Amino acid sequence: MTNKQKFTEGFKFGKTQATYSNSKLAGPKVPQGSQAARGSYSSSLGPTFAGNEPSSESPLLVLLGLGRYFKNYKVRLGIVLGLLFTEIIVYSAIPFSFKFLIDEALIGKNETVLYITGALLIGGTILITAAGTVRDYLYNWVSARAIRDMREELFIHLQRVNLDFYANTRLGDVLSRFSTDLTALENAVLALIPWGISPLLEAIFGTALLFALDWKLGAIATLIWPITFLGPVFFSTRSTAASYERKIEEAKVLTAVEESISAQNLIRVYDLDGSFWEKFKGNCEKLFHVSLRLGLTNSYLERSASGGILLLQAVLLISGAWFAFHGMVSVGALAAFLPPFLNLSYSLLYVSQYFPTMNQASGSARRILEILRTPTFESEGGERPFAPSELQNSIKLEDLHFRYKGRTKNLNGVNLEIKKGTYTVILGQSGSGKSTILKFILGMMEPSQGKVTLDGIAMEKIRLDALHSMIGIVFQDTFLFHTSILENIRMGRPDATPEEAIEAAKLAEIHEFISALPDGYETIAGDKGSKLSGGEKQRIALARALVRNPQILLLDEATSALDPITEARILKTLQKLREGRTIVSVTHRLTGLHAADQVVVLKNGTLEPYPSPENDSLSAAAIGL
Ligand SMILES: Nc1ncnc2c1ncn2[C@@H]1O[C@H](COP(=O)(O)OP(=O)(O)OP(=O)(O)O)[C@@H](O)[C@H]1O
């Protein structure tokens, strides 16, 4: 399935794995990748997230919210569980052998029992090892796939959320969801079987076994359950809250790093490195405090469990010895009892140590779900049954009203008809809402009142991929990718041949410049085009729009960074390209208006005809330019 199919046909989930040895030789300690934990929405993230408030949902329930990523791998998971049960049953049965060995074979002098028990022990060990190896492979596979699916869906979802989301979200915060949050989840998933399910099942079987061996000792041994879980349950809320705060602080640190890298020119020229350093130090200090709190809470959580378990071990050893001393249990039964009891203790210790990992993963799951639940533009628009391939008559903006959140009205009854094959110029002061109008034509926003139609079809009924396939656009903020200039142009139409890309560059008046570069079209544009001037970037962006040979060409201040001569040449090129093409240019410059079929002015949120193309200076004054 191509990415495009995933976008349009919806995403199908896959699955993951975990790769921890079940060996307890190293002592119980859950792998803790990132300490990051629970959902963290800073208030500055704005209202586009599905949930900004601390959740009262239990950590376990939040984690279950991501269970759907495992659904596609049910068969493999079933095999994993089957193998796990087999291992645990065999593992739990091993202590019985001690009873047989001591009571029947040694004390009862029965050599046959000795051989049978020995054979069963060896067979059981081989079975456990083989089943464990297969289980490890399958579970690692399933876990890795589930995390991969989650990562992919997160990425795809981010391509589809409302643009408003990006206006209200810090880059560092989004990136941290891909890094620390997914890592925390991965750690928890990987550790789930060896540190969660497996020891829990072992503990359940172990408890049953203890009862079978001796109900009196078994009854005392069951005390271990509440003793183990009391502390973790008590500290879980605090651990989750501290993890949540830590996540916020981590995202702030990441944002500070990202900003200081992106704004290096500004920081150096304005001598801002001192203040940036102070701010960063402050962020690190807060992160230190919250990390310490989280670490301490998790350590109390673990210690409360391990302390209780050790105490109970001592009590049980003494009472077991006392029972044996008074002949209330056999020595064989006591000898058979102690290993499973110690196993039970360690199993529960493992489970208790899984709590911090689970709490952290739960927070991360919440942060990931918050993004996945952020409405996408398409999902808000509902059904989009129309996929036109050609503009037949016109695009109409009818009584369009719109206001960005927290702003006064930006558009206040905009009416405009853009007829097929015409050249429309929208003039207006800076901030008047010209780019906003283009976003409506691109189907990227919906008006609060009024409508935008394409050949009479409401924009929200038109599939965005179909709409965008008709459009070429030069955005006001030119963005170039860190790849060759040729590739940057071909982004407009990935199947364009190099010759077609070069032809587009010629039309955009940038071919000569590119050809003169040592590496020509293979020159790397640099991060966000940092190796090129503003005007050069703008012309490459124009070439990228032209290589699509679009029916509709949208230009947002597309010549603002050009010198008058180059701008005049490009305007001339646009004249040549007008045939059969619909062009909309928004600008606050008055050059090239005479060539346009209609010129309108955006003022006070409405469009008015341009007063007098014949006398630009008078007109400019009239419209406040
Ligand atoms: N995501 C946003 N959230 C809130 N306000 C916004 C957002 N985007 C734009 N605005 C505001 O809406 C107004 C119109 O913005 P727009 O970019 O459409 O103006 P413009 O006419 O294209 O300006 P310019 O000529 O300076 O590019 C501005 O006042 C701007 O501050």
Side-chain angles (χ1 to χ4, degrees):
M1 181 183 273
T2 64
N3 275 348
K4 189 150 187 164
Q5 279 172 310
K6 282 182 181 173
F7 271 78
T8 51
E9 293 169 22
F11 189 76
K12 295 188 177 70
F13 304 118
K15 225 109 171 117
T16 326
Q17 130 52 88
T19 174
Y20 292 136
S21 146
N22 206 9
S23 159
K24 293 175 181 172
L25 290 176
K29 193 77 213 151
V30 183
Q32 307 265 327
S34 150
Q35 285 283 325
R38 173 200 158 104
S40 90
Y41 274 173
S42 115
S43 54
S44 68
L45 290 181
T48 43
F49 280 112
N52 292 351
E53 302 302 321
S55 167
S56 55
E57 241 179 316
S58 95
L60 199 61
L61 279 183
V62 178
L63 275 179
L64 289 178
L66 290 177
R68 64 195 165 103
Y69 288 93
F70 289 82
K71 274 190 186 158
N72 281 356
Y73 307 111
K74 275 186 275 202
V75 175
R76 283 183 176 85
L77 275 181
I79 298 173
V80 166
L81 282 181
L83 291 169
L84 191 61
F85 269 106
T86 311
E87 287 171 61
I88 289 167
I89 288 169
V90 176
Y91 194 65
S92 305
I94 287 176
F96 273 114
S97 60
F98 292 117
K99 187 171 163 49
F100 283 112
L101 276 177
I102 295 171
D103 287 345
E104 307 276 329
L106 299 182
I107 299 174
K109 298 270 177 218
N110 187 338
E111 205 173 346
T112 317
V113 173
L114 177 71
Y115 293 137
I116 292 174
T117 313
L120 284 175
L121 267 176
I122 291 168
T125 312
I126 293 170
L127 185 66
I128 288 177
T129 309
T133 308
V134 176
R135 172 175 65 78
D136 277 351
Y137 170 78
L138 286 176
Y139 190 63
N140 274 288
W141 190 92
V142 168
S143 306
R145 288 293 285 254
I147 296 292
R148 181 205 67 173
D149 295 346
M150 225 177 281
R151 188 175 284 121
E152 284 182 2
E153 198 198 352
L154 205 56
F155 183 85
I156 286 174
H157 197 83
L158 282 171
Q159 315 291 309
R160 300 170 61 193
V161 291
N162 280 339
L163 291 182
D164 221 23
F165 170 88
Y166 291 103
N168 291 306
T169 308
R170 290 169 307 173
L171 178 61
D173 191 81
V174 175
L175 291 182
S176 72
R177 289 165 209 253
F178 275 92
S179 50
T180 50
D181 284 316
L182 275 176
T183 307
L185 265 181
E186 193 162 15
N187 284 333
V189 171
L190 289 173
L192 180 63
I193 286 200
W195 298 86
I197 295 177
S198 174
L200 191 67
L201 288 176
E202 281 173 20
I204 293 168
F205 277 104
T207 307
L209 181 69
L210 290 179
F211 266 99
L213 286 170
D214 189 287
W215 72 266
K216 294 182 286 295
L217 291 173
I220 298 176
T222 50
L223 280 177
I224 203 166
W225 284 85
I227 283 176
T228 307
F229 290 112
L230 215 62
V233 169
F234 178 75
F235 286 110
S236 260
T237 321
R238 285 183 215 186
S239 154
T240 307
S243 300
Y244 177 90
E245 283 175 49
R246 188 194 147 105
K247 212 58 169 163
I248 294 173
E249 297 307 328
E250 253 180 359
K252 284 184 188 163
V253 167
L254 212 62
T255 301
V257 173
E258 188 265 324
E259 268 182 359
S260 78
I261 291 171
S262 318
Q264 267 301 302
N265 287 346
L266 191 74
I267 289 172
R268 284 178 197 209
V269 174
Y270 281 33
D271 215 8
L272 293 172
D273 37 354
S275 60
F276 263 73
W277 167 237
E278 285 305 322
K279 194 175 159 213
F280 184 71
K281 247 172 49 169
N283 290 144
C284 289
E285 188 64 15
K286 283 189 190 157
L287 182 56
F288 159 72
H289 284 292
V290 75
S291 300
L292 183 63
R293 183 146 50 86
L294 175 63
L296 289 177
T297 311
N298 284 342
S299 112
Y300 298 148
L301 185 155
E302 288 175 21
R303 293 230 173 276
S304 63
S306 59
I309 288 171
L310 286 175
L311 194 68
L312 193 74
Q313 276 183 0
V315 170
L316 232 135
L317 278 174
I318 294 164
S319 45
W322 189 87
F323 282 135
F325 191 81
H326 290 90
M328 294 166 79
V329 293
S330 73
V331 175
L334 183 62
F337 181 87
L338 288 178
F341 174 70
L342 289 176
N343 264 343
L344 168 65
S345 313
Y346 283 120
S347 297
L348 288 178
L349 201 57
Y350 271 65
V351 178
S352 75
Q353 290 184 347
Y354 185 65
F355 270 77
T357 307
M358 190 184 82
N359 291 338
Q360 292 181 28
S362 161
S364 294
R366 189 170 158 235
R367 284 167 57 78
I368 285 165
L369 284 171
E370 279 167 349
I371 291 213
L372 293 177
R373 287 171 186 164
T374 303
T376 59
F377 191 76
E378 295 239 20
S379 66
E380 277 188 340
E383 287 271 301
R384 289 176 176 264
F386 297 100
S389 59
E390 202 184 326
L391 174 66
Q392 305 281 352
N393 295 308
S394 67
I395 296 170
K396 278 188 192 165
L397 282 64
E398 297 172 49
D399 192 27
L400 214 64
H401 289 251
F402 181 76
R403 163 174 95 75
Y404 286 104
K405 249 179 190 108
R407 297 295 176 97
T408 49
K409 210 152 208 178
N410 300 100
L411 301 181
N412 200 11
V414 165
N415 288 291
L416 179 68
E417 180 171 14
I418 301 159
K419 290 203 175 109
K420 179 180 175 166
T422 60
Y423 183 177
T424 301
V425 175
I426 303 174
L427 288 172
Q429 281 181 318
S430 179
S432 55
K434 303 180 297 293
S435 302
T436 306
I437 289 184
L438 288 189
K439 287 183 197 165
F440 281 108
I441 296 174
L442 283 164
M444 287 174 154
M445 294 199 310
E446 282 175 14
S448 49
Q449 191 186 315
K451 60 179 176 176
V452 184
T453 58
L454 188 140
D455 292 333
I457 306 167
M459 216 43 123
E460 64 268 20
K461 298 282 174 207
I462 296 174
R463 282 180 63 137
L464 289 182
D465 53 349
L467 174 70
H468 293 163
S469 69
M470 293 187 263
I471 294 176
I473 180 163
V474 180
F475 286 104
Q476 189 171 15
D477 301 324
T478 312
F479 189 97
L480 297 188
F481 294 89
H482 189 88
T483 179
S484 70
I485 292 176
L486 181 70
E487 281 313 304
N488 265 293
I489 296 174
R490 290 178 68 225
M491 296 270 175
R493 185 159 61 87
D495 62 354
T497 61
E499 291 71 32
E500 287 170 324
I502 290 168
E503 192 51 40
K506 284 181 183 165
L507 291 172
E509 301 290 340
I510 190 71
H511 172 68
E512 279 174 31
F513 163 77
I514 301 171
S515 306
L517 291 169
D519 293 328
Y521 278 83
E522 291 308 317
T523 306
I524 300 297
D527 193 32
K528 296 178 190 151
S530 57
K531 292 184 180 172
L532 299 164
S533 79
E536 287 153 7
K537 283 194 275 188
Q538 218 165 35
R539 279 175 287 164
I540 291 172
L542 181 60
R544 181 163 63 197
L546 294 179
V547 81
R548 288 169 78 82
N549 193 17
Q551 298 172 43
I552 304 165
L553 182 61
L554 305 180
L555 306 169
D556 192 350
E557 306 283 6
T559 55
S560 60
L562 303 183
D563 62 84
I565 296 171
T566 314
E567 182 182 24
R569 273 162 46 191
I570 285 187
L571 290 174
K572 223 166 133 190
T573 303
L574 288 179
Q575 287 307 314
K576 279 193 274 172
L577 294 172
R578 279 181 66 169
E579 188 66 32
R581 213 179 300 271
T582 309
I583 303 176
V584 180
S585 169
V586 308
T587 177
H588 44 60
R589 291 148 74 95
L590 300 173
T591 34
L593 300 186
H594 299 83
D597 295 303
Q598 66 172 338
V599 183
V600 286
V601 181
L602 183 57
K603 204 173 169 187
N604 300 325
T606 56
L607 285 176
E608 301 165 4
Y610 183 57
S612 165
E614 272 68 46
N615 189 333
D616 283 350
S617 59
L618 282 180
S619 310
I623 63 171
L625 287 173

